[in-house]
Amino acid sequence: MKADPRGVLTGIHFMDGDHAACEGALAAGCRFAAGYPITPSTEVVERFAARIPTVGGVFIQMEDELASSIAIQGGAWAGHKVMTVTSGPGLSLMMEHVGLAAITETPCVIVDVQRGGPSTGLPTLPAQADMMQVRWGSHGDYSIIALSPNSPQECFDLLIKAFNLAEEYRVPVFFMMDEVVGHMTERVVIPEASEIEVVERKWTRKKPGEYRPFECEDGSLVPSMVKAGDGYRIHITGLTHDERGYPAMNVAAQDKLVRRLKDKVDLLRDRIVDVREDGVDGADVVVVSYGITSRIAGAAVEAARARGVRVGHMRLVITWPFPSGRIAEVAKTARAFVVPELNMGQMVIEVERAVCGRASVRCVPHAGGTVHDPDVILDAIMEAAR
Amino acid sequence: MTHDEGTTRWGSASGWPLPPGQPLPTNLNVYVANLVPKEEYFAQGHRACQGCGLALAVRLALKAAGPDVIVATATGCLEIITTPLPYTAWGVPWIHVAFENTAATASGIEAALKVLRRKGRIPDRKVRVLAFAGDGGTADIGLQALSGALERGHDLTYICLDNEAYMNTGVQRSGSTPFGASTTTSPAGKKSIGQQTWKKPMPAIAAAHNIPYVATANPSYPYDFIQKVRRALDTEGPAYIHAYSACPTGWRSATDLSIHIGRLATETGVFPLYEVIEGRHVLNYDPPTLQPLQEYTRLQPRFRHLTDDDLARIEARVRREYDALKRRAELDAKEEKRLKREAVRARRAQRAQRTASDP
């Protein structure tokens, strides 16, 4: 399906990542957002608040992040594509509702413009330290999808993809920007609406009475949805439920539901993952990076090649689910992996797990506050190549 | 006047501070400034914008509190402007925890002081607990913690510094933003008047917790302000002060007009000065005639887009609320008098009975 032209600001723009993300959401068909001011993410909703009256939709500023993260779920069940936007402390407050979105399989997008933490941390400076929190932050077992843009252009492009994934898999999708990407101003090209592919929600074809909200049809792991006002009488709950949506607090129902909540992303991992590779085949050293760090790592990779090292670069555009399969494959030939990230070592744990001792894995941690010095990554590559 | 620990700080001979409930004197011939302590507990050189009403409010509040106070503040302008390492503007102990939990933090401090005093670990003297939070940190995200603290009855004073939007993150609307004001998340334009809801009545919400002292205060009336903070601190149990804080940056007003705009807020009835003492409403300043609302709004470009019709509608509501407050204060005063009369009558009857039964 093509994008609704009302939300698409076609043209060549010079805008920052926060504003580009807002345009991405509007182009993707997001017509309801709820948010709460928090640096460095506020510009996204500021622009949304100013743009939405002319596009046709609703923005509500809620009283806190708890309320924002639950308001969007109401919007989703009312039939809209929805998002909320936040940063570190706000994301922490949202965690209970992430679990609710996971168990009720509510499609929603949570934009996290990452800043230094923990707690209030560095409100105006970057980090990538929420990577594990978005994967594991709410209690219980469930799966999510996360994307890591590295430029304002990608804030536009990938946010559309984030909405599409949310609709397709009915999971909370996290959009892992950071302060630098959010506040960096670059050229952003917004194409015609007819060139933007958006995924429509999977609505049920069944009649009221026949429809069971959590029943998967034709072997799919993702049930189809209805919206409020369609005349279906359904029950949606955060309790463990059966296919009818009614609480079923027994071992069998729990096993069936939780297994599916995990499987619907994990089993389709290979269809979802998006890794951009550069000279990985035959490389001795492979740099694995994501988000803003991938741009810094790119410079270090070039410098290492100039010194004669055979180095490849894997950039994770989708960070969750993690591309374990591809990493394991590369580990058969590569001698070492270098993982620079703006945290004290989070995704490197996943790399180590996938590599499984077949190659050495070296983390280049950074506590946040600024981006890496490319020389530090270069040193790590040179050392790994030795 | 120097600060004199343990005794009446202000000299009762001057008749100041006024007893609770007494309206502001209109005769200010006495040079009252002399009665305000010269000590500063809120140092100059902090990073507030020019014309910041909040900084003035905090400075006055700390003058009223003196050195024996522990301050808790929420995330917000006040935190940012006063504590960039290695500097601090605070001359008293100060703590910041997070955005939503100022009242909980202050509750903890109060409870800890109580225990430490009881165990003899700190000297047995009154140390007050003062909490500052912005309107967002009070009316929105902090309301739950505030309500809990008021309900539990901690002996603390909570001051909401109301600049009517989230100024620290760049002027987003809050529950305390007045109807019609343009902010970045309630932008005025072809399809929107700006803020579409009416200001949340925080003082009334605080008073509804049946706490002993609630007041509105305005740093444009500094003596009234200081006096109210002192009263709040002297009150046993929780006290809530709603302080008006002009914000030239967020309101896009001239930086040299903050005090003037603050006065107009009270003189137009937008921000009436009143107290709620043990449930009894007292209007502290009742201007002979309320100024037209336009006098107030025309100085603040956040209201620039409002038409005469919009203003008339807002003014009608402001007047209605002001009149209701005034009526309530009159009724409460009448009721107070009636209760006093009844008490006197009851005493007399008792005495008469005693004399009759005595041989």
Side-chain angles (χ1 to χ4, degrees):
Chain A
M1 204 180 126
K2 300 299 174 196
D4 172 6
R6 278 179 306 169
V8 183
L9 201 67
T10 304
I12 298 172
H13 306 270
F14 188 57
M15 56 170 65
D16 70 14
D18 279 353
H19 285 179
C22 171
E23 291 306 328
L26 290 171
C30 175
R31 294 294 178 267
F32 179 78
Y36 188 70
I38 184 162
T39 307
S41 75
T42 317
E43 291 89 337
V44 184
V45 290
E46 282 181 353
R47 189 176 177 102
F48 198 90
R51 288 266 284 127
I52 201 66
T54 56
V55 174
V58 174
F59 166 72
I60 310 180
Q61 188 186 311
M62 301 300 288
E63 69 273 20
D64 56 22
E65 286 88 353
L66 303 175
S68 305
S69 56
I70 199 67
I72 59 166
Q73 298 187 39
W77 282 99
H80 289 284
K81 293 187 178 177
V82 297
M83 78 165 172
T84 184
V85 183
T86 192
S87 184
L91 186 73
S92 295
L93 286 180
M94 288 181 181
M95 278 304 148
E96 184 180 0
H97 294 149
V98 169
L100 183 74
I103 200 170
T104 57
E105 300 179 62
T106 304
C108 56
V109 172
I110 298 169
V111 177
D112 175 21
V113 188
Q114 297 171 87
R115 66 191 221 186
S119 192
T120 314
L122 299 170
T124 56
L125 299 169
Q128 296 179 310
D130 305 349
M131 299 309 298
M132 282 292 173
Q133 186 187 17
V134 296
R135 177 62 191 86
W136 304 106
S138 199
H139 57 277
D141 281 313
Y142 58 94
S143 54
I144 55 100
I145 295 174
L147 299 89
S148 292
N150 73 3
S151 67
Q153 179 67 51
E154 283 197 350
C155 288
F156 176 83
D157 297 337
L158 290 181
L159 195 49
I160 297 173
K161 186 167 181 177
F163 274 95
N164 290 348
L165 288 167
E167 294 300 334
E168 198 175 337
Y169 294 95
R170 285 186 63 180
V171 287
V173 172
F174 290 91
F175 198 61
M176 307 302 288
M177 295 165 60
D178 64 76
E179 188 276 332
V180 173
V181 167
H183 286 161
M184 167 167 41
T185 302
E186 283 184 343
R187 197 169 104 119
V188 175
V189 182
I190 299 184
E192 298 282 343
S194 59
E195 292 166 32
I196 298 173
E197 204 56 52
V198 300
V199 172
E200 177 64 357
R201 189 163 296 175
K202 200 165 108 189
W203 302 112
T204 185
R205 293 212 182 85
K206 292 194 171 170
K207 293 192 183 70
E210 292 170 13
Y211 171 71
R212 286 141 78 92
F214 294 95
E215 183 180 42
C216 299
E217 294 148 31
D218 9 294
S220 150
L221 288 169
V222 184
S224 53
M225 275 183 90
V226 295
K227 63 174 183 288
D230 278 352
Y232 293 80
R233 188 184 154 136
I234 55 166
H235 188 87
I236 307 293
T237 174
L239 290 165
T240 294
H241 44 263
D242 60 13
E243 289 166 345
R244 297 168 305 153
Y246 290 106
M249 279 158 292
N250 57 62
V251 177
Q254 170 76 1
D255 182 75
K256 192 171 177 194
L257 177 66
V258 173
R259 211 170 272 280
R260 188 170 60 75
L261 292 182
K262 264 191 80 61
D263 283 352
K264 67 178 177 177
V265 170
D266 284 1
L267 292 187
L268 302 173
R269 182 187 297 260
D270 292 340
R271 241 172 64 189
I272 302 171
V273 294
D274 182 354
V275 183
R276 311 262 162 98
E277 297 184 3
D278 168 24
V280 170
D281 292 325
D284 291 330
V285 179
V286 174
V287 177
V288 180
S289 68
Y290 54 91
I292 186 63
T293 309
S294 64
R295 290 176 74 160
I296 317 298
V301 167
E302 291 303 322
R305 282 178 185 156
R307 296 189 185 187
V309 180
R310 284 198 300 172
V311 53
H313 188 190
M314 295 176 86
R315 183 197 154 207
L316 315 182
V317 172
I318 291 189
T319 27
W320 298 112
F322 189 77
S324 313
R326 180 61 189 146
I327 299 262
E329 207 178 302
V330 174
K332 285 180 193 157
T333 53
R335 285 214 323 263
F337 285 80
V338 173
V339 188
E341 44 186 343
L342 282 185
N343 54 53
M344 298 313 283
Q346 296 191 7
M347 297 309 278
V348 70
I349 299 169
E350 288 296 305
V351 176
E352 276 168 358
R353 204 172 53 77
V355 167
C356 205
R358 283 186 289 257
S360 73
V361 178
R362 191 179 297 262
C363 182
V364 188
H366 190 306
T370 181
V371 292
H372 282 86
D373 181 340
D375 286 344
V376 175
I377 303 176
L378 176 64
D379 290 348
I381 296 173
M382 297 312 288
E383 231 167 89
R386 215 172 279 151
Chain B
M1 188 174 201
T2 52
H3 166 67
D4 188 5
E5 191 185 304
T7 61
T8 349
R9 289 174 196 192
W10 314 90
S12 55
S14 64
W16 202 87
L18 301 169
Q22 189 168 326
L24 262 189
T26 43
N27 173 12
L28 293 175
N29 290 337
V30 191
Y31 188 49
V32 214
N34 281 339
L35 302 175
V36 176
K38 289 188 175 56
E39 286 85 351
E40 296 288 355
Y41 301 103
F42 188 69
Q44 57 194 348
H46 53 71
R47 297 185 178 184
C49 308
Q50 256 186 27
C52 177
L54 173 158
L56 182 56
V58 173
R59 181 178 165 219
L60 294 173
L62 290 194
K63 273 181 183 287
D68 288 341
V69 67
I70 298 176
V71 175
T73 70
T75 305
C77 287
L78 182 60
E79 174 217 354
I80 299 298
I81 63 171
T82 57
T83 60
L85 198 75
Y87 307 109
T88 177
W90 297 93
V92 292
W94 175 88
I95 183 172
H96 160 256
V97 175
F99 196 4
E100 68 276 25
N101 53 16
T102 321
T105 308
S107 304
I109 297 167
E110 188 260 357
L113 285 173
K114 222 164 25 189
V115 171
L116 290 174
R117 241 192 327 263
R118 194 176 64 218
K119 292 188 170 173
R121 302 266 290 275
I122 54 171
D124 188 16
R125 67 159 196 243
K126 183 95 177 163
V127 175
R128 275 117 169 176
V129 181
L130 187 54
F132 288 110
D135 48 301
T138 301
D140 291 348
I141 198 169
L143 187 59
Q144 184 173 338
L146 174 61
S147 182
L150 299 185
E151 178 267 327
R152 289 189 300 270
H154 292 279
D155 188 9
L156 55 84
T157 295
Y158 187 103
I159 301 183
C160 169
L161 301 161
D162 185 5
N163 53 22
E164 305 194 322
Y166 292 86
M167 299 312 183
N168 181 39
T169 44
V171 199
Q172 292 83 26
R173 69 156 289 259
S174 77
S176 203
T177 303
F179 181 86
S182 183
T183 71
T184 55
T185 51
S186 66
K190 274 182 224 141
K191 306 238 176 182
S192 168
I193 193 172
Q195 171 80 342
Q196 295 177 11
T197 52
W198 297 88
K199 192 182 175 78
K200 192 184 272 194
M202 268 317 294
I205 292 171
H209 287 76
N210 290 331
I211 56 171
Y213 188 76
V214 173
T216 62
N218 184 338
S220 296
Y221 298 84
Y223 308 119
D224 178 68
F225 192 101
I226 292 179
Q227 181 172 297
K228 281 173 173 166
V229 176
R230 279 235 47 92
R231 260 179 215 160
L233 289 166
D234 287 344
T235 301
E236 283 283 322
Y240 176 87
I241 293 180
H242 199 83
Y244 183 88
S245 303
C247 176
T249 308
W251 301 355
R252 301 176 177 98
S253 54
T255 52
D256 57 347
L257 289 182
S258 293
I259 301 293
H260 183 58
I261 289 174
R263 292 231 176 93
L264 283 171
T266 297
E267 284 168 6
T268 52
V270 168
F271 193 88
L273 291 176
Y274 65 97
E275 292 168 297
V276 187
I277 305 160
E278 304 285 358
R280 190 166 53 85
H281 290 63
V282 181
L283 191 59
N284 304 114
Y285 176 49
D286 183 22
T289 50
L290 290 182
Q291 300 268 343
L293 182 68
Q294 207 156 6
E295 292 298 306
Y296 176 64
T297 54
R298 73 183 173 86
L299 299 174
Q300 303 172 53
R302 63 175 172 153
F303 295 119
R304 180 165 49 192
H305 56 283
L306 296 178
T307 62
D308 287 347
D309 283 352
D310 297 335
L311 284 172
R313 192 150 71 96
I314 298 170
E315 189 172 38
R317 174 148 173 161
V318 166
R319 296 273 156 106
R320 201 164 65 235
E321 283 178 2
Y322 187 84
D323 289 344
L325 174 68
K326 201 169 156 178
R327 254 198 326 275
R328 177 75 199 259
E330 283 164 4
L331 279 176
D332 283 355
K334 236 184 242 172
E335 176 70 5
E336 177 84 357
K337 260 187 207 160
R338 192 184 64 81
L339 287 174
K340 261 187 200 155
R341 267 203 309 273
E342 240 169 47
V344 170
R345 217 173 288 146
R347 265 203 307 277
R348 263 194 216 132
Q350 222 174 1
R351 220 178 301 143
Q353 208 178 2
R354 226 179 293 138
T355 348
S357 61
D358 268 355

